[in-house]
Amino acid sequence: MIKGFKDFVLRGNVVDLAVAVLIGAAFGSIVTAFTSGIIQPLINAVTPPSSPGFGVQLVGGKESTYIDFAAVLSAALNFLIVAAVVYFVIVYPLRALQERRRRGIEPGPAAPTDVELLTEIRDLLRAQQRSS
């Protein structure tokens, strides 16, 4: 059971996914800092000085009833910025690469040779015999 878990965790795609999640979270925090530190104050600048920001106070004197439209706009901008970066940095280049491969302009990854496959099978069988 532990060996199966170890094999699962050490599989390349799981490690790659973990790295992608960490980088995505770090990038998300950068975008959040940008929108809350720069964009939201710019949005709030259009309101009068007596207003706490771009929003509506439903019950006067009760801060918990303040609807903050600037925060909602900042969150929407966060999403749009992250989505645009993911599209233009990851999705679009991969689609272009797939299209070039489909048209034959750029070759795909080379298939392993028979010798490489047999060597890999031999190594896996040896590893299985040692763990038994």
Short mmCIF file of all heavy atoms in Angstrom, two decimals, residues 17 19 21 23 26 28 42 47 64 69 73 79 82-83 88 96 119 122 132:
data_model
loop_
_atom_site.label_atom_id
_atom_site.label_comp_id
_atom_site.label_asym_id
_atom_site.label_seq_id
_atom_site.Cartn_x
_atom_site.Cartn_y
_atom_site.Cartn_z
N LEU A 17 2.02 18.75 -11.54
CA LEU A 17 0.78 19.39 -11.12
C LEU A 17 0.98 20.16 -9.82
O LEU A 17 0.48 21.28 -9.68
CB LEU A 17 -0.33 18.35 -10.96
CG LEU A 17 -1.68 18.88 -10.51
CD1 LEU A 17 -2.23 19.86 -11.53
CD2 LEU A 17 -2.65 17.73 -10.31
N VAL A 19 3.74 21.51 -8.71
CA VAL A 19 4.52 22.71 -9.03
C VAL A 19 3.63 23.76 -9.69
O VAL A 19 3.69 24.95 -9.35
CB VAL A 19 5.72 22.35 -9.94
CG1 VAL A 19 6.39 23.59 -10.49
CG2 VAL A 19 6.72 21.50 -9.17
N VAL A 21 0.41 24.18 -9.31
CA VAL A 21 -0.50 24.76 -8.32
C VAL A 21 0.23 25.80 -7.48
O VAL A 21 -0.30 26.88 -7.20
CB VAL A 21 -1.11 23.65 -7.44
CG1 VAL A 21 -1.80 24.23 -6.22
CG2 VAL A 21 -2.08 22.81 -8.25
N ILE A 23 2.94 27.56 -8.27
CA ILE A 23 3.23 28.74 -9.09
C ILE A 23 1.96 29.54 -9.35
O ILE A 23 1.96 30.77 -9.30
CB ILE A 23 3.92 28.33 -10.40
CG1 ILE A 23 5.34 27.84 -10.10
CG2 ILE A 23 3.95 29.48 -11.40
CD1 ILE A 23 6.06 27.27 -11.28
N ALA A 26 1.13 31.51 -6.22
CA ALA A 26 2.04 32.65 -6.08
C ALA A 26 1.67 33.76 -7.07
O ALA A 26 1.64 34.94 -6.72
CB ALA A 26 3.49 32.22 -6.29
N GLY A 28 -1.28 34.23 -8.39
CA GLY A 28 -2.55 34.78 -7.94
C GLY A 28 -2.38 35.81 -6.84
O GLY A 28 -3.07 36.83 -6.82
N LEU A 42 -7.76 53.23 -7.28
CA LEU A 42 -8.16 54.02 -8.44
C LEU A 42 -9.68 54.03 -8.61
O LEU A 42 -10.28 55.05 -8.94
CB LEU A 42 -7.49 53.52 -9.71
CG LEU A 42 -5.98 53.76 -9.81
CD1 LEU A 42 -5.41 53.06 -11.04
CD2 LEU A 42 -5.68 55.24 -9.85
N THR A 47 -15.12 58.25 -6.05
CA THR A 47 -16.17 58.55 -5.07
C THR A 47 -15.83 59.83 -4.31
O THR A 47 -14.67 60.24 -4.25
CB THR A 47 -16.33 57.38 -4.08
OG1 THR A 47 -15.11 57.21 -3.36
CG2 THR A 47 -16.67 56.09 -4.80
N SER A 64 -21.02 46.63 8.95
CA SER A 64 -21.21 45.31 8.36
C SER A 64 -22.22 45.31 7.22
O SER A 64 -22.35 44.31 6.51
CB SER A 64 -21.63 44.31 9.44
OG SER A 64 -22.89 44.69 9.98
N PHE A 69 -18.41 47.63 -3.81
CA PHE A 69 -18.34 47.31 -5.23
C PHE A 69 -16.91 47.27 -5.74
O PHE A 69 -16.59 46.52 -6.66
CB PHE A 69 -19.15 48.32 -6.05
CG PHE A 69 -20.63 48.28 -5.78
CD1 PHE A 69 -21.31 49.41 -5.39
CD2 PHE A 69 -21.33 47.10 -5.93
CE1 PHE A 69 -22.66 49.38 -5.14
CE2 PHE A 69 -22.69 47.05 -5.68
CZ PHE A 69 -23.36 48.19 -5.29
N LEU A 73 -15.23 44.40 -8.08
CA LEU A 73 -14.55 44.71 -9.34
C LEU A 73 -13.09 44.23 -9.32
O LEU A 73 -12.59 43.71 -10.32
CB LEU A 73 -14.61 46.21 -9.63
CG LEU A 73 -15.97 46.76 -10.07
CD1 LEU A 73 -15.93 48.28 -10.15
CD2 LEU A 73 -16.36 46.17 -11.40
N PHE A 79 -9.56 37.69 -11.67
CA PHE A 79 -9.90 36.53 -12.49
C PHE A 79 -9.53 36.77 -13.95
O PHE A 79 -8.93 35.91 -14.59
CB PHE A 79 -11.39 36.22 -12.37
CG PHE A 79 -11.85 35.18 -13.34
CD1 PHE A 79 -11.55 33.83 -13.11
CD2 PHE A 79 -12.53 35.52 -14.49
CE1 PHE A 79 -11.95 32.85 -14.01
CE2 PHE A 79 -12.93 34.55 -15.39
CZ PHE A 79 -12.64 33.22 -15.15
N VAL A 82 -5.63 36.70 -14.45
CA VAL A 82 -5.09 35.34 -14.35
C VAL A 82 -5.53 34.51 -15.56
O VAL A 82 -4.72 33.79 -16.16
CB VAL A 82 -5.52 34.66 -13.03
CG1 VAL A 82 -5.18 33.19 -13.02
CG2 VAL A 82 -4.87 35.36 -11.85
N ALA A 83 -6.80 34.62 -15.96
CA ALA A 83 -7.29 33.87 -17.11
C ALA A 83 -6.55 34.29 -18.39
O ALA A 83 -6.19 33.44 -19.22
CB ALA A 83 -8.79 34.07 -17.27
N PHE A 88 -2.74 33.20 -22.72
CA PHE A 88 -1.69 33.65 -23.63
C PHE A 88 -0.33 33.03 -23.36
O PHE A 88 0.51 33.00 -24.26
CB PHE A 88 -1.60 35.18 -23.61
CG PHE A 88 -2.78 35.84 -24.26
CD1 PHE A 88 -3.68 36.55 -23.51
CD2 PHE A 88 -2.99 35.72 -25.62
CE1 PHE A 88 -4.79 37.15 -24.11
CE2 PHE A 88 -4.09 36.31 -26.24
CZ PHE A 88 -4.98 37.03 -25.48
N ALA A 96 -0.95 26.40 -30.74
CA ALA A 96 -0.15 26.70 -31.93
C ALA A 96 0.83 25.56 -32.21
O ALA A 96 1.02 25.17 -33.37
CB ALA A 96 0.60 28.01 -31.74
N THR A 119 15.12 -1.98 -22.83
CA THR A 119 15.94 -1.62 -21.67
C THR A 119 15.06 -1.17 -20.51
O THR A 119 15.28 -1.56 -19.36
CB THR A 119 16.93 -0.50 -22.04
OG1 THR A 119 17.72 -0.92 -23.14
CG2 THR A 119 17.82 -0.14 -20.87
N ARG A 122 13.35 -4.26 -19.05
CA ARG A 122 14.31 -5.02 -18.25
C ARG A 122 14.53 -4.37 -16.89
O ARG A 122 14.51 -5.05 -15.86
CB ARG A 122 15.64 -5.12 -19.00
CG ARG A 122 16.70 -5.92 -18.24
CD ARG A 122 18.09 -5.65 -18.73
NE ARG A 122 18.40 -4.25 -18.45
CZ ARG A 122 19.33 -3.55 -19.09
NH1 ARG A 122 20.02 -4.09 -20.06
NH2 ARG A 122 19.58 -2.30 -18.78
N SER A 132 10.30 -7.79 -4.36
CA SER A 132 9.51 -8.96 -3.93
C SER A 132 10.17 -9.73 -2.83
O SER A 132 11.25 -9.76 -2.50
CB SER A 132 9.29 -9.91 -5.11
OG SER A 132 8.54 -9.26 -6.10
#
